[in-house]
Amino acid sequence: MKIVSVSVLLVDEPAVEPAFRWRDGLPGSDGPRVGAWLAIETDDGMTGWAYTKRGIILQDLIERRVRDELLGEDPARREWLWHRLWEIDRIEEMPIYIQGLVDEALWDLAGKRAGQPVHELLGTYRDAIPAYASTVTFGSIEEYLDVADQCLALGYRAIKLHAWGDARRDAELSLALRDHVGPEVDLMYDGSAGFDLADAVYLGRALSEAGYRWYEEPMREFSVNAHQRLAERVTVPLLVAETSDGAHMNTADFIASGCAGAVRTSTSFKGGITGAMRVAHLADAYLLRAEVHGGGLPNTHLCMAIPNTTYYEALVDSNPVERAPEVGPDGMVRAPTTPGMGYEAAWNNSAPPASVSAGVRRDR
């Protein structure tokens, strides 16, 4: 079995309606953009798929560097190919999600060949997981409280705030939300790397007082030492190593420093399924949780495969709130049952993505 084609199939993504925003300083939902499907085909006619919203970047790197490394290789050698892409990254400094996309497509192929969902290949731990509502940034404390009520009524088991990026205002919101929902609902806060150490400490003390489950990405993750200092000053658990490069290698530094209350893992920012599983196993060795960042099919399989994660992250990007389609009325997300990642089953439930029939194909 050999890889005979590596294609990038571009697709125009319309602007999100209604538009939403993140904290001050970050781009919001943006306007129209170009996404892309990565398609890796083998000599026996099978195709592995992966998707990104960063289509132009993917197309450039596949055409300029990555395709030549994949053509003619055995797609079952996922571990070797994962290491090979790290060798290329040493010179190219590729976005880590590019490595993740290649790895996801190879796992999709492996699941199809075995006739099993990816999570079964990994060794399924669970068949369902509760979802938390991960908010975008809303306009006022009152609106957040209304959104929280809607989320709980729709079955979500917990709520994570993305707020304004103002430590004092966010602290006020965090305390108000705890008072509003009571002590039994899990609450989390995501700083989206918006603070320096002083402001991170100020907000962290409010989150500690309010009993939040975790304090996620409070600062840019270039400085492990700054996170160590923050952990010495607050009692809320820090959820770290979300976007830092280096997959398990960089995550290990956060754990060794003692600052990690838990770590992030994901298919996007840890080099696909292969890298995400490394992070989960590393965390498990220290009896830490590896909380899965972001939704979508690859991360759904990841949630089902690892024991040390708590929730599935479901984005809440509108008011009125609409429950994410993968979340049931009971607030649970269930394991995919079709072979591979299951993209084809998702297409059959609606319509195939435009790129599958009309995408830009670049084979060689």
Side-chain angles (χ1 to χ4, degrees):
M1 180 174 54
K2 300 295 182 184
I3 296 171
V4 297
S5 174
V6 181
S7 306
V8 176
L9 302 117
L10 300 178
V11 55
D12 291 329
E13 286 200 353
V16 175
E17 295 292 343
F20 62 83
R21 68 185 186 93
W22 299 109
R23 67 162 173 82
D24 293 344
L26 287 181
S29 52
D30 297 328
R33 63 196 308 175
V34 178
W37 290 92
L38 174 64
I40 298 178
E41 299 178 41
T42 60
D43 54 5
D44 58 355
M46 299 190 74
T47 303
W49 297 96
Y51 187 76
T52 180
K53 295 180 179 293
R54 300 169 177 87
I56 301 301
I57 297 172
L58 173 66
Q59 184 183 54
D60 171 64
L61 285 169
I62 292 295
E63 293 187 353
R64 179 164 53 84
R65 195 67 176 85
V66 175
R67 180 186 285 115
D68 286 345
E69 300 294 334
L70 299 178
L71 289 176
E73 298 294 341
D74 182 348
R77 296 185 68 191
R78 293 181 300 278
E79 187 72 21
W80 185 86
L81 290 169
W82 195 79
H83 279 275
R84 182 61 190 158
L85 288 177
W86 276 108
E87 291 286 356
I88 298 170
D89 174 77
R90 177 175 169 268
I91 301 300
E92 295 286 350
E93 289 288 338
M94 296 186 299
I96 195 170
Y97 58 79
I98 299 297
Q99 296 163 263
L101 290 166
V102 172
D103 190 71
E104 288 170 32
L106 295 176
W107 276 99
D108 186 33
L109 276 169
K112 290 170 181 173
R113 186 165 301 281
Q116 294 178 290
V118 168
H119 64 84
E120 290 187 6
L121 293 184
L122 298 170
T124 305
Y125 177 78
R126 57 170 68 85
D127 59 13
I129 191 169
Y132 71 81
S134 182
T135 75
V136 295
T137 300
F138 294 104
S140 66
I141 290 177
E142 291 73 24
E143 186 176 12
Y144 274 104
L145 300 185
D146 174 51
V147 166
D149 288 340
Q150 293 179 60
C151 291
L152 295 175
L154 288 170
Y156 288 104
R157 308 295 182 88
I159 298 166
K160 186 180 82 173
L161 295 174
H162 291 90
W164 301 291
D166 178 317
R168 281 153 180 76
R169 193 179 179 200
D170 290 7
E172 183 183 2
L173 167 63
S174 301
L175 292 167
L177 181 60
R178 171 55 75 202
D179 287 343
H180 185 73
V181 301
E184 301 303 320
V185 177
D186 267 346
L187 298 178
M188 298 82 88
Y189 175 91
D190 189 338
S192 301
F195 303 111
D196 62 10
L197 179 58
D199 280 347
V201 169
Y202 181 93
L203 176 57
R205 287 172 174 163
L207 299 174
S208 301
E209 177 186 340
Y212 273 53
R213 174 176 277 274
W214 72 59
Y215 186 12
E216 179 177 343
E217 201 184 12
M219 302 175 288
R220 294 300 299 270
E221 291 177 336
F222 297 124
S223 173
V224 175
N225 180 264
H227 288 78
Q228 186 177 16
R229 289 170 181 264
L230 175 60
E232 292 168 353
R233 291 161 171 79
V234 300
T235 58
V236 60
L238 303 186
L239 179 57
V240 296
E242 177 179 314
T243 61
S244 57
D245 284 340
H248 60 296
M249 296 171 283
N250 180 257
T251 302
D253 287 336
F254 281 93
I255 294 174
S257 78
C259 72
V263 299
R264 270 301 200 192
T265 193
S266 68
T267 56
S268 296
F269 294 142
K270 299 302 173 202
I273 294 288
T274 300
M277 291 296 290
R278 275 174 160 76
V279 173
H281 293 155
L282 169 68
D284 194 41
Y286 287 88
L287 302 182
L288 294 174
R289 298 199 181 183
E291 301 291 355
V292 175
H293 172 246
L297 275 171
N299 283 328
T300 302
H301 287 278
L302 188 59
C303 283
M304 301 304 160
I306 63 176
N308 54 330
T309 197
T310 312
Y311 290 109
Y312 174 93
E313 182 171 15
L315 186 64
V316 171
D317 61 3
S318 66
N319 184 16
V321 176
E322 294 184 8
R323 187 193 303 117
E326 66 271 27
V327 180
D330 60 353
M332 302 294 287
V333 175
R334 287 174 168 76
T337 58
T338 54
M341 290 294 182
Y343 287 118
E344 290 86 350
W347 301 338
N348 290 337
N349 290 335
S350 54
S355 58
V356 172
S357 58
V360 178
R361 190 176 181 85
R362 296 283 189 266
D363 293 339
R364 192 174 67 196

